[in-house]
Amino acid sequence: MPVRTAFPRICIALGLPDSERLLEQARREAGQGERFLEFRLDYLPSPEEGIAVIREFLRLYPDATVLATCRRHQNHGRFNGSIEEELRILAAAIEAGARAVDVEIESAENALTKLELLGDAQLIVSYHNFEGTPALEPVMRRMLKIPAAAYKIVTTARKPSDNLKVLSLLKAHARTPLVLLAMSETGFPSRVLSTVLGGAFTYAAPSSAEGTAAGQVSARTLRHLYRIEKPWKACKVFGVVADPVRHSISPAVHNRALQARRIAALYLPFLVGPLQLKDFFVLADRLPLQGFSVTIPHKQRIIRYLDALDSLSRRIGAVNTVWRKAGKWRGTNTDIDGVRVPLEKRIRLSKKSVLVAGNG
């Protein structure tokens, strides 16, 4: 097995149904400066068509790193051939210039003696679970039986603490190159934090096409908003808790503010369903999260999970800001001051009625 080498931090996942579009999209990404791309050969009607695409792309961009994948339909891919055919296609991709290949654990286990066909390419052994996030230590032990340059574990987050299950592998296997993430909007924090906390790399959607998995966002978002390529020495984590949360502009506002003030911190969106607050605090306690904003539908319900509450929030019966101090979760409500302070610069509010009009 070849010596392990470091991968770029962001891999653009390209899954397109014809070779011309695949090459066009790959060139577009490379033209925008991306140099690490996954070619999902199984998306093509004939995966062999992708070999010529890889060769032509690397002729145009010889400094790029191509990761070739030809996932079988038994493992939620689109290739209907045998394991032997899968490895043959990946070997051809390597001959065309691909520096790395992704082989799912099921194929790798059943073709241990044939993995040598992959030569000097970096082998990434992958595990996917599209139903949920099981206990992952048994999965990790299973994967480590196969020598590889990196190990990729992708699950589906059904609840907030599933992010924790995935991310906890980074500490338990600190010396092992890992690619870890949980699919779905609930699992989005894992896509950012896995690299921040020491993961090998993460996946991004192409700039003008759909991604290959639920929860993928653009490389621009990962790079500029969440700064996942920054060499963090220590990083505090904040966020917004809501359902829905995708529409929230809070991550854009707060991450820009943190950057402007040069604070080593990230602000993430946490999708937390109405009945998932207790589970969210499992994640918050162990992440560890420093504090978070709270919005619909949790402003009232969250009070039961807090250790301390100021008198104003108690009178209002709702909280929109939570932080941790001395190991305790404390809550307050800044909505009142957000309205009162600006208005008091213009008018006297004593004995006045105020109407707040908005859409949020």
Side-chain angles (χ1 to χ4, degrees):
M1 185 59 58
V3 176
R4 294 168 177 165
T5 59
F7 293 97
R9 304 290 274 171
I10 300 175
C11 180
I12 309 297
L14 300 178
L16 292 114
D18 67 73
S19 56
E20 289 185 5
R21 288 178 58 192
L22 178 60
L23 179 58
E24 178 186 355
Q25 187 65 52
R27 293 184 63 179
R28 183 178 294 115
E29 297 299 323
Q32 295 175 359
E34 302 300 338
R35 287 299 183 269
F36 186 22
L37 295 89
E38 179 189 38
F39 282 54
R40 285 292 300 270
L41 303 180
D42 54 301
Y43 273 60
L44 299 169
S46 175
E48 290 84 353
E49 295 176 12
I51 306 304
V53 175
I54 292 174
R55 186 174 288 110
E56 174 62 12
F57 174 74
L58 291 174
R59 184 187 70 79
L60 297 170
Y61 301 95
D63 61 333
T65 297
V66 169
L67 165 61
T69 302
C70 188
R71 187 157 298 122
R72 301 173 70 225
H73 77 271
Q74 291 92 333
N75 303 309
H76 292 269
R78 302 189 181 187
F79 179 55
N80 292 315
S82 65
I83 293 175
E84 289 74 15
E85 290 171 314
E86 174 190 1
L87 295 180
R88 177 178 55 78
I89 290 169
L90 292 177
I94 294 166
E95 187 177 348
R99 298 183 194 175
V101 291
D102 181 326
V103 178
E104 58 273 16
I105 182 66
E106 294 85 357
S107 292
E109 287 175 331
N110 285 285
L112 273 174
T113 59
K114 298 179 181 179
L115 290 179
E116 61 187 27
L117 293 173
L118 303 179
D120 292 332
Q122 300 291 295
L123 172 63
I124 298 174
V125 175
S126 62
Y127 164 88
H128 297 78
N129 190 313
F130 291 82
E131 303 303 322
T133 303
L136 293 177
E137 273 301 332
V139 174
M140 196 72 243
R141 289 195 295 270
R142 175 186 177 190
M143 298 183 74
L144 289 173
K145 293 178 181 179
I146 300 173
Y151 300 89
K152 170 184 166 186
I153 293 182
V154 178
T155 68
T156 301
R158 300 297 183 191
K159 56 186 185 296
S161 64
D162 286 341
N163 288 280
L164 187 64
K165 280 187 182 180
V166 172
L167 295 172
S168 63
L169 290 176
L170 289 169
K171 186 175 182 179
H173 301 274
R175 296 185 179 182
T176 303
L178 297 176
V179 180
L180 303 170
L181 59 95
M183 295 180 289
S184 80
E185 188 180 355
T186 301
F188 174 75
S190 69
R191 291 184 177 274
V192 174
L193 294 176
S194 61
T195 50
V196 171
L197 297 176
F201 63 86
T202 193
Y203 289 84
S207 56
S208 58
E210 291 186 4
T212 58
Q216 280 182 359
V217 298
S218 71
R220 179 178 179 81
T221 298
L222 292 174
R223 183 175 290 117
H224 297 292
L225 185 60
Y226 295 108
R227 297 177 288 166
I228 70 165
E229 291 180 321
K230 178 181 173 65
W232 300 94
K233 292 182 179 179
C235 178
K236 294 180 179 179
V237 180
F238 300 90
V240 56
V241 174
D243 182 17
V245 76
R246 185 178 300 174
H247 69 289
S248 175
I249 66 170
S250 291
V253 171
H254 289 283
N255 280 310
R256 296 304 184 201
L258 291 168
Q259 291 176 42
R261 291 178 175 270
R262 297 184 179 181
I263 297 173
L266 287 173
Y267 186 100
L268 301 172
F270 292 94
L271 178 65
V272 179
L275 302 179
Q276 293 181 332
L277 272 176
K278 183 177 180 180
D279 181 84
F280 169 75
F281 274 94
V282 173
L283 171 67
D285 285 335
R286 294 182 56 192
L287 196 51
L289 204 59
Q290 303 297 311
F292 51 91
S293 309
V294 185
T295 188
I296 295 173
H298 302 303
K299 288 188 176 185
Q300 295 171 302
R301 185 186 296 268
I302 201 164
I303 291 175
R304 70 184 67 176
Y305 297 100
L306 302 179
D307 301 302
L309 199 64
D310 62 24
S311 58
L312 179 61
S313 301
R314 199 175 300 280
R315 284 173 57 199
I316 296 170
V319 161
N320 75 337
T321 303
V322 174
W323 73 99
R324 192 205 308 252
K325 183 178 181 181
K328 295 184 180 296
W329 291 108
R330 304 166 187 271
T332 190
N333 194 310
T334 63
D335 287 335
I336 293 294
D337 281 346
V339 174
R340 180 181 59 80
V341 173
L343 284 179
E344 284 184 338
K345 294 179 180 180
R346 300 290 182 179
I347 61 175
R348 269 188 193 178
L349 290 179
S350 179
K351 298 182 181 180
K352 293 289 195 306
S353 295
V354 176
L355 170 66
V356 179
N359 67 348

